[in-house]
Amino acid sequence: MTASPYSPGLDRATAALCALLGSPEDLRLPGVREAAERARDLLRSGADADELAACYRELDTALRRNGDARGLVGESRGATAPGITPHIKVAVCPGAHSCARIERARDLLPAPYCAVHGTRMRKSRLSSAQ
């Protein structure tokens, strides 16, 4: 039997684990610290995806058993992990006949200026078509 490679589907659970390990109050729940540390150790050792998924299920069960309805991959926990963004913001052409220009759009900065249409580009989410 060969080991399953790491699965990209586990990324969200890994981000949630990172946030959970940074939350001392959640780690005080019975059985949660042990399961979280076991998952962390599996990640560090390069365990296969099946073993890691089983450990994440065990951690999710421990959290829910202790009254945390979010489990491991709840919206508020997974979304707070540093560096995780659900979408990529870009600036796109503001005109009715858009060109293919796409620029990175940062949250706190205005969109770049469009010299063709004489206005700022509009911010949007990057789609698979772009």
Side-chain angles (χ1 to χ4, degrees):
M1 182 171 117
T2 60
S4 302
Y6 181 77
S7 168
L10 295 176
D11 285 347
R12 186 165 178 197
T14 302
L17 174 66
C18 180
L20 177 68
L21 288 169
S23 174
E25 53 276 350
D26 287 338
L27 291 175
R28 288 188 192 118
L29 299 171
V32 172
R33 176 180 296 282
E34 296 80 14
E37 288 175 350
R38 190 168 33 260
R40 182 197 59 211
D41 293 343
L42 284 174
L43 274 170
R44 287 180 178 172
S45 70
D48 70 339
D50 296 334
E51 189 176 5
L52 195 54
C55 191
Y56 283 159
R57 281 191 300 275
E58 181 183 323
L59 178 55
D60 183 76
T61 301
L63 285 163
R64 290 178 192 275
R65 191 174 296 139
N66 284 289
D68 189 340
R70 298 173 296 181
L72 177 61
V73 189
E75 274 306 309
S76 60
R77 178 172 291 119
T80 60
I84 301 299
T85 308
H87 61 273
I88 299 171
K89 289 185 180 178
V90 293
V92 295
C93 181
H97 302 286
S98 351
C99 68
R101 180 179 174 199
I102 296 175
E103 298 284 331
R104 182 177 178 190
R106 298 181 187 215
D107 287 334
L108 301 177
L109 298 176
Y113 185 75
C114 175
V116 173
H117 295 286
T119 184
R120 291 208 177 269
M121 298 173 75
R122 63 182 172 80
K123 291 184 180 183
S124 177
R125 290 182 182 179
L126 185 64
S127 69
S128 58
Q130 295 170 318

